[in-house]
Amino acid sequence: MTQQIPMFIDGQAVISTSSDWLDVTNPATQEVINQVPFATAAEVDQAVASAKKAFETWKDVPVTQRARMMLRYQHLLKKHHDEIAEILAEETGKNFEDAKGDVWRGIEVAEHAANIPTLMMGETVENVANKVDTYSLIQPLGVCTGITPFNFPAMIPLWMFPMAVVCGNTFVLKPSEQDPNTPMRLAELFYEAGFPKDTLQVVHGGKDQVDQLLNHPDIEAISFVGSVPVGEHIYRTGTQNLKRVQAFAGAKNHMVVMPDANKQQVVNNIAGSACGAAGQRCMAISVAVLVGESREWLDEIKGKMTEMKPGYWKNKESFYGPQISPQAKQNVENMIKQGVEEGATLLLDGRGHTVEGYPNGNWVGPTLFSDVTVDMDIYKKEIFGPVLCVMTADTLEEAIELINNNPYGNGTSIFTSSGAAARKFQHEIKVGQVGINIPIPVPLPFFSFTGWRKSFYGDQHAYGKQAVRFYTETKTVTSRWFESDIPDDTGPNATINL
């Protein structure tokens, strides 16, 4: 019998009573790993109720104790780093280096969360009026929830629940049903670190379970990472229910290549950032904008991309793995077909790609289009596969205008040896995360992940200081004490209460 994945409710692993289960498969082989439930409405309600009850005591645990628990947690994550990466690689298909990077970037957020005492410090002004002082207190919200995607099953949950819980909240995690084993292992280690077992609940499911959380009266804040239509739905539904929401949505990331850039660095970085993780990351470079004479480098880019071989995660020569599902593979191949029909020049065709020994894998080979225009769907839509669209511009100003007219604003980069060009680009570009001679500018956790425009719905971003503001509320106290209330007893029998 196929093993059934439990949920974590009321501090213990429980097998769902649901009759609706989904096979979790290895995307390189289609072999069933185990099965994940779609939780019943009663189970979701039970998880939220447990988290709500836990909040009443957890919010009063001293912040230093919460920080020490997080220190133990990040230690356990490091100790089990490779084990988690193997689980992740098996259910996502990522090569082992990508899988380890997924885990490590999550660990960095847990490290940052351990600094919570200084991050939750308020502000004080003495004597705002005569003998009147004002100070602010940073306090948790209550029950928070996270809805995470398949493409980073370690990193993105770790963006969310460590920051939320260490701020004094409790958390209900609804991970992707396509690769739930990785977040379940994260939760097991979380409990092992000594956190009270009902501070983190894990429920599984799909749209119905998400909608139940969005509409639940006891959920205070919602964090989501995924696609544009779902992100819009999450944001609208959550905010209509007067909840705090951060929803990270789609992307179409451009790399601008100036003719004074280092050609070999450009070629290596374009190919790697377009094909890495099978293109299944919201910060992948999916559009290269070749400015001026750099458009002559197209043959070198094509040659480098042909070296980006997909394969099974245990093969060290595999640069990237399969698409997460047969449906995802079909979506990418349909977009490639549409690009040809729209008139783009297909220089590399990844359709029908095979990997020896793994005939059933969801493989898509490196794909390269040139002569792409802004009216084509392959430019307007996020393909989420190893597909690079090449466009050209005569000037930096033209490239900046092109990017600023795109509805997305997640990430962008420029490769140049000119400081003036780099500064002009970073100043004028309307994108939240900018790389200068760096293809994928994901900030470290003491900053925040700051997508703009249609790539993000909300006010406060993930991790960093903005995450603390997202998961807390500010209470401002104004106080005055009268000198007439000072006790007169200053004799030898007087006591001081501390």
Side-chain angles (χ1 to χ4, degrees), residues 290-308:
L290 307 183
V291 178
E293 295 176 0
S294 70
R295 69 188 69 194
E296 299 174 5
W297 302 353
L298 188 56
D299 286 342
E300 286 92 338
I301 294 171
K302 177 182 175 182
K304 189 64 180 180
M305 287 187 68
T306 60
E307 300 175 11
M308 307 285 106

Side-chain angles (χ1 to χ4, degrees), residues 178-239:
Q178 297 187 84
D179 46 15
N181 292 286
T182 301
M184 286 298 290
R185 185 63 180 130
L186 300 180
E188 291 171 353
L189 294 173
F190 184 81
Y191 304 141
E192 189 177 328
F195 286 91
K197 292 186 181 297
D198 45 5
T199 51
L200 174 64
Q201 320 278 328
V202 183
V203 296
H204 303 293
K207 183 180 184 302
D208 290 344
Q209 289 71 26
V210 168
D211 284 341
Q212 185 177 351
L213 291 169
L214 294 179
N215 291 286
H216 203 290
D218 292 330
I219 296 289
E220 301 293 337
I222 301 161
S223 185
F224 165 82
V225 177
S227 65
V228 170
V230 181
E232 290 179 350
H233 171 71
I234 296 282
Y235 183 73
R236 288 198 178 104
T237 306
T239 53

Side-chain angles (χ1 to χ4, degrees), residues 14 35 68 117 177 311 374 382 422 442:
V14 296
Q35 290 184 320
R68 291 186 191 108
E177 66 277 16
V374 296
E382 185 175 27
V442 177

Side-chain angles (χ1 to χ4, degrees), residues 358-378:
Y358 299 94
N360 299 319
N362 308 318
W363 310 110
V364 176
T367 300
L368 178 63
F369 280 106
S370 64
D371 303 312
V372 176
T373 59
V374 296
D375 59 336
M376 295 179 180
D377 280 347
I378 58 168

Side-chain angles (χ1 to χ4, degrees), residues 220-413:
E220 301 293 337
I222 301 161
S223 185
F224 165 82
V225 177
S227 65
V228 170
V230 181
E232 290 179 350
H233 171 71
I234 296 282
Y235 183 73
R236 288 198 178 104
T237 306
T239 53
Q240 284 173 1
N241 287 315
L242 304 181
K243 302 181 189 304
R244 191 172 294 188
V245 180
Q246 54 178 204
F248 297 83
K252 199 71 176 179
N253 305 315
H254 302 68
M255 178 192 289
V256 173
V257 179
M258 300 300 291
D260 62 355
N262 181 300
K263 182 194 293 187
Q264 196 57 53
Q265 290 291 332
V266 166
V267 169
N268 291 342
N269 280 280
I270 282 183
S273 56
C275 296
Q280 297 176 122
R281 52 189 178 193
C282 66
M283 290 294 287
I285 292 297
S286 54
V287 182
V289 184
L290 307 183
V291 178
E293 295 176 0
S294 70
R295 69 188 69 194
E296 299 174 5
W297 302 353
L298 188 56
D299 286 342
E300 286 92 338
I301 294 171
K302 177 182 175 182
K304 189 64 180 180
M305 287 187 68
T306 60
E307 300 175 11
M308 307 285 106
K309 304 294 186 182
Y312 191 54
W313 71 270
K314 290 184 178 180
N315 183 350
K316 294 183 179 180
E317 295 180 358
S318 301
F319 185 76
Y320 66 91
Q323 306 304 119
I324 189 64
S325 68
Q327 295 79 13
K329 172 188 174 181
Q330 189 61 56
N331 289 340
V332 174
E333 291 190 339
N334 288 344
M335 288 301 299
I336 296 172
K337 179 176 181 289
Q338 188 165 354
V340 174
E341 294 172 349
E342 291 175 327
T345 301
L346 184 59
L347 300 176
L348 285 176
D349 188 352
R351 292 174 292 180
H353 193 90
T354 59
V355 173
E356 185 177 355
Y358 299 94
N360 299 319
N362 308 318
W363 310 110
V364 176
T367 300
L368 178 63
F369 280 106
S370 64
D371 303 312
V372 176
T373 59
V374 296
D375 59 336
M376 295 179 180
D377 280 347
I378 58 168
Y379 175 73
K380 293 188 290 184
K381 296 181 179 180
E382 185 175 27
I383 300 175
F384 229 55
V387 180
L388 178 66
C389 298
V390 174
M391 308 177 76
T392 60
D394 292 329
T395 64
L396 175 59
E397 289 79 6
E398 184 181 333
I400 291 173
E401 182 180 9
L402 169 72
I403 297 170
N404 286 346
N405 286 335
N406 189 280
Y408 297 108
N410 209 38
T412 189
S413 64

